[in-house]
Amino acid sequence: MTELNPPFTDLDIPTADKGFYQGYSLPIALTAKIAFALLTVWALLRPGSAEAILSLLNTEILGVFNLFYIIAVGLFAWFLLIVAAVPSSGRRKLGKADEKPEFTYFSWFAMMFGAGLGVGLMVYATAEPMNNWGQNPEIIKGDVAAYSAEAVQSAYRYTFMHYGLHAWGIYVVTGLCLAYYAYTRDMPLTIRTALTPLFGRYLNGPVGHVVDILGVIATILGVAVTIGFGISQLVEGFYSITGMEWLLQSGQNGGPPHPSAVGLIVALVVVMLLSTLSAVSGVGRGVKYLSNLNLVLSSLLLLVFVVAGSFGFAMTTYGTALTDYLLHFPALSFEAYSASSELGEWQTGTTTFYWAWWIAFSPFVGLFLARISRGRTVREFVFGAVVMPSIVCFAWMTILGGTSVDLELSGVAQGAIIDASATNKLFATLQFIVGDQVYGIVAVMCAVLILTFLVTSADSGLLVINTIMAGGEEETDARHRVVWGVLLTLVIAALILAGGGGLVVLQNAMIIGALPFAFVMVMMCVSLAKALYRDHHRDKWAEVQEGAIDAS
């Protein structure tokens, strides 16, 4: 056995030593601000051009890179499972040998859950199972009929796929790569750090700046789409509570009413104001307390569905769907269709869209997961941040979504839930399972939960953006959090207005911004595999040397 050289850890990210940008990397901060300022101005001054060009690019990307997205995300999930299962890598601690975790399991899980999928679970708890019940590959192939009892199993197979091990695996690949170098090698907690085993000192210059900028761009667009969906559901909720007509506008081509541009902008300003205030207070206070509140309110909402919803149907569905999902997991990991076929059109519009969304969200969630996971082992991190959240997501979507499916199957809803907009399906379902007086209370609780989930996602995103721009420094200037809070608000508002009050332009921008970072993530996996192998080799060498000294 030969001795290996020590790992490269001399990562130098120059930051300004005075002025407003003191402690920040000027190339990263200024490039990101200029890019999003130009995007905002373009969307506001030329909304038609912005919508057409972003839509065209989005279509081309989903068509050309569909196979890449499917294979890459499948590899991420299997990579993490293998890393956790291998004894030498799974038992490694993300920190010093005697280091204890900063947060309790409850707070750790609450922050992880709130940042990772809080808003998505509120928006898609009922919408995702219902949409897949109406169309999925089994239905397109003609094996089962849409909205039939036979289609429930395949509907949940793809629901679990979109919100299960693959989705959380995307987040944890980034989080594990960042945490491993930051806490075992005392390197900066920033995106470029994860590629040091491959590129070494080249990351001290422009190459490293590009990697971090791609992380900032993906983060902002991923958070922007999440906030866009969240405020849409928030507006729907307030309309169901107050009946204020200005909150909604008529749907196109006979579709259901949807939130108006004015309603979305008002909700956006409220959310971002609260998010910026929370971000200024830091992770240990604002984010932690809001995340704990999210988990408590989520449990109460779940209890409402357990008591008043179709719990028996949901639990039966949960058992059969989970078994079906696990049996199909290997095939689902790499199941890709031609983008030009009907199956391919479904896949690019659902699965590939989700993977792009999770990838765009992964610099933010991954860095945030790394920030709150110091002191835990690799196996604990993978199990706690991939397997456990997936199981909870499955239960959540089965209990809430299963109630919606059962109401339609039994003929109680008579198509009312199916016909409702995606962001209104939750409230449409609640109207069937609770009385009018109780509905008001539950609807208010849902609105508060959506609001706190939005605030948690946005303020965590602001903290992460500033951490990347500050070269991995976790304690950043509050003024910059405020500036980015304002800029993020303007970007989201401009893209909403460019889409005529819809979220399509926002989604298109996110998918385009996610693609470059997807390639970075593939390199992260290769980089971490190399680092784990060589560190294991170094440990063995150290044991041999220690044994030789003892023998002498």
Side-chain angles (χ1 to χ4, degrees):
M1 180 180 291
T2 58
E3 182 180 8
L4 294 177
N5 294 326
F8 172 81
T9 59
D10 190 21
L11 195 61
D12 180 29
I13 306 175
T15 57
D17 54 9
K18 61 181 179 180
F20 179 72
Y21 285 99
Q22 183 177 355
Y24 281 73
S25 169
L26 284 175
I28 301 173
L30 293 180
T31 302
K33 284 183 178 178
I34 291 171
F36 282 100
L38 292 175
L39 178 61
T40 302
V41 172
W42 180 39
L44 288 175
L45 298 183
R46 301 291 299 275
S49 171
E51 181 179 16
I53 293 175
L54 291 176
S55 177
L56 177 62
L57 286 174
N58 170 63
T59 302
E60 291 298 318
I61 285 174
L62 289 179
V64 175
F65 292 97
N66 179 59
L67 178 62
F68 167 74
Y69 272 120
I70 299 300
I71 298 299
V73 172
L75 290 174
F76 295 158
W78 283 100
F79 173 75
L80 288 172
L81 293 175
I82 293 170
V83 166
V86 173
S88 62
S89 57
R91 63 171 175 260
R92 286 189 177 276
K93 179 168 284 192
L94 301 174
K96 302 294 185 287
D98 58 347
E99 195 165 2
K100 302 295 182 184
E102 179 181 357
F103 301 102
T104 65
Y105 276 112
F106 182 86
S107 293
W108 181 53
F109 187 77
M111 288 190 286
M112 173 173 59
F113 202 73
L117 275 179
V119 175
L121 284 184
M122 290 300 293
V123 174
Y124 287 104
T126 51
E128 177 69 9
M130 294 295 288
N131 291 341
N132 287 328
W133 191 34
Q135 190 176 41
N136 68 57
E138 299 303 310
I139 295 172
I140 295 172
K141 293 173 185 176
D143 295 339
V144 293
Y147 301 118
S148 65
E150 294 76 20
V152 173
Q153 181 170 288
S154 58
Y156 270 98
R157 180 188 308 162
Y158 289 95
T159 296
F160 285 6
M161 176 187 176
H162 294 155
Y163 283 83
L165 302 178
H166 294 94
W168 284 94
I170 292 171
Y171 296 156
V172 175
V173 159
T174 304
L176 179 60
C177 290
L178 296 176
Y180 186 79
Y181 303 107
Y183 302 141
T184 65
R185 298 183 177 181
D186 294 322
M187 298 181 71
L189 188 61
T190 189
I191 305 299
R192 73 176 76 185
T193 299
L195 300 181
T196 49
L198 292 181
F199 298 104
R201 64 185 71 258
Y202 290 105
L203 293 169
N204 286 335
V207 174
H209 296 332
V210 170
V211 171
D212 284 341
I213 290 168
L214 291 177
V216 171
I217 290 174
T219 298
I220 292 173
L221 294 175
V223 172
V225 168
T226 300
I227 293 173
F229 279 116
I231 60 175
S232 180
Q233 190 178 42
L234 187 63
V235 170
E236 297 267 19
F238 273 107
Y239 174 78
S240 71
I241 297 168
T242 65
M244 295 180 181
E245 295 184 359
W246 62 273
L247 291 171
L248 297 185
Q249 63 187 31
S250 300
Q252 296 179 349
N253 301 322
H258 58 85
S260 65
V262 175
L264 290 173
I265 298 301
V266 170
L268 173 64
V269 171
V270 172
V271 167
M272 292 308 302
L273 178 62
L274 294 174
S275 301
T276 304
L277 292 174
S278 179
V280 169
S281 69
V283 174
R285 295 180 59 189
V287 178
K288 174 183 174 181
Y289 296 144
L290 281 174
S291 297
N292 290 345
L293 176 62
N294 290 343
L295 202 55
V296 172
L297 292 177
S298 299
S299 300
L300 290 175
L301 179 59
L302 194 65
L303 183 62
V304 169
F305 275 84
V306 168
V307 173
S310 307
F311 186 64
F313 175 85
M315 286 299 93
T316 302
T317 302
Y318 184 87
T320 56
L322 182 58
T323 302
D324 178 73
Y325 167 71
L326 294 175
L327 288 174
H328 286 85
F329 180 79
L332 290 172
S333 297
F334 305 106
E335 184 181 59
Y337 302 107
S338 170
S340 60
S341 66
E342 188 176 357
L343 283 169
E345 290 178 4
W346 176 87
Q347 187 173 58
T348 56
T350 54
T351 303
T352 310
F353 166 73
Y354 275 122
W355 293 168
W357 189 3
W358 301 158
I359 287 170
F361 221 45
S362 67
F364 148 51
V365 180
L367 199 150
F368 187 74
L369 289 178
R371 167 67 183 83
I372 64 176
S373 301
R374 184 168 190 155
R376 303 194 182 277
T377 65
V378 170
R379 185 174 295 115
E380 186 180 15
F381 186 34
V382 172
F383 182 79
V386 175
V387 179
M388 289 305 296
S390 297
I391 292 173
V392 174
C393 285
F394 297 162
W396 179 271
M397 290 199 153
T398 308
I399 294 172
L400 274 66
T403 297
S404 303
V405 171
D406 190 44
L407 288 170
E408 291 288 2
L409 268 179
S410 61
V412 174
Q414 296 184 337
I417 301 173
I418 292 174
D419 293 338
S421 65
T423 52
N424 193 39
K425 279 182 166 57
L426 174 62
F427 294 103
T429 303
L430 284 170
Q431 289 174 337
F432 284 102
I433 66 174
V434 296
D436 292 340
Q437 293 182 339
V438 177
Y439 173 77
I441 297 172
V442 176
V444 170
M445 184 182 72
C446 286
V448 173
L449 182 56
I450 295 165
L451 180 62
T452 55
F453 268 138
L454 281 168
V455 172
T456 303
S457 295
D459 62 11
S460 301
L462 293 176
L463 290 169
V464 166
I465 290 167
N466 279 274
T467 295
I468 296 173
M469 291 189 301
E473 180 60 45
E474 296 176 21
E475 298 299 326
T476 56
D477 193 329
R479 295 176 299 173
H480 289 274
R481 301 177 201 172
V482 173
V483 169
W484 272 103
V486 172
L487 186 54
L488 183 57
T489 305
L490 293 174
V491 169
I492 298 172
L495 293 175
I496 287 175
L497 293 174
L503 304 178
V504 175
V505 175
L506 198 60
Q507 295 175 49
N508 291 341
M510 178 272 295
I511 291 173
I512 295 165
L515 180 62
F517 195 75
F519 288 98
V520 173
M521 288 184 64
V522 171
M523 290 188 288
M524 282 183 176
C525 290
V526 176
S527 182
L528 183 61
K530 179 181 178 181
L532 288 169
Y533 173 77
R534 293 175 74 87
D535 281 352
H536 175 66
H537 190 89
R538 293 184 182 99
D539 290 345
K540 288 295 184 183
W541 173 261
E543 290 175 6
V544 170
Q545 294 301 107
E546 185 177 346
I549 293 173
D550 291 341
S552 63

